[in-house]
Each structure stands twice: as structure tokens, then as C-alpha cells.
Amino acid sequence: MSTLDRSSSTSASGGLAGALKALAEEASVLVQALLSPGKVIEEVEQMRALQVRANRIEASDPLRADVLRWHASRIGLR
């Protein structure tokens, strides 16, 4: 087996392991969300409130509106 062949098979198995790990993490997040719907609803309400505030001040303070939208986008990632 050439070095290139060994390298390719190692990359493929590493890629598969990485994909399986990502799938397991996503499944874990989904299970947590299903077990605590109140938390998900609270996060959505927080994001919505930030978006409404951003829309309200967009004309007068676009930079602050962008910051509020950025914060809203980060809520679900905590």
C-alpha cells in the first residue's frame, strides 16, 4: 500500500469518526431540548425581545441594533 493510500484511508476513517461525533453531539442537544422545553421557550423569547429592540432603534442607532442582533444570535449557542 502506498503512502498516499494509507493517508487517504486514515483521513476517511478520521472523517467518519468526526462525523459520528458531530452526530452524537447534535443528538444530545436535541434530547436536552426535548427534556427541557421551558428553557427553549425562554431562549426564544429572549432572542425575540432583542430582535424587537434592535428593530426599534435601527434608524437612530444602527450599530447598537447590530450588537443586539449579535447577542440574540448567540443565545441558543450557550
Side-chain angles (χ1 to χ4, degrees):
M1 179 183 285
S2 73
T3 304
L4 180 59
D5 291 338
R6 281 183 288 199
S7 174
S8 295
S9 67
T10 302
S11 294
S13 64
L16 179 60
L20 289 175
K21 181 180 178 192
L23 179 63
E25 289 172 358
E26 290 292 328
S28 173
V29 169
L30 176 60
V31 168
Q32 290 300 320
L34 293 172
L35 293 175
S36 57
K39 181 179 181 221
V40 174
I41 292 169
E42 180 183 319
E43 288 176 348
V44 170
E45 288 172 346
Q46 289 174 359
M47 290 186 304
R48 176 73 181 139
L50 288 170
Q51 291 288 348
V52 167
R53 284 178 50 201
N55 290 342
R56 212 176 287 141
I57 66 167
E58 178 71 34
S60 63
D61 193 353
L63 292 177
R64 179 69 180 145
D66 286 344
V67 170
L68 290 172
R69 287 189 183 100
W70 182 83
H71 283 291
S73 73
R74 308 310 296 171
I75 288 176
L77 302 176
R78 292 187 242 157

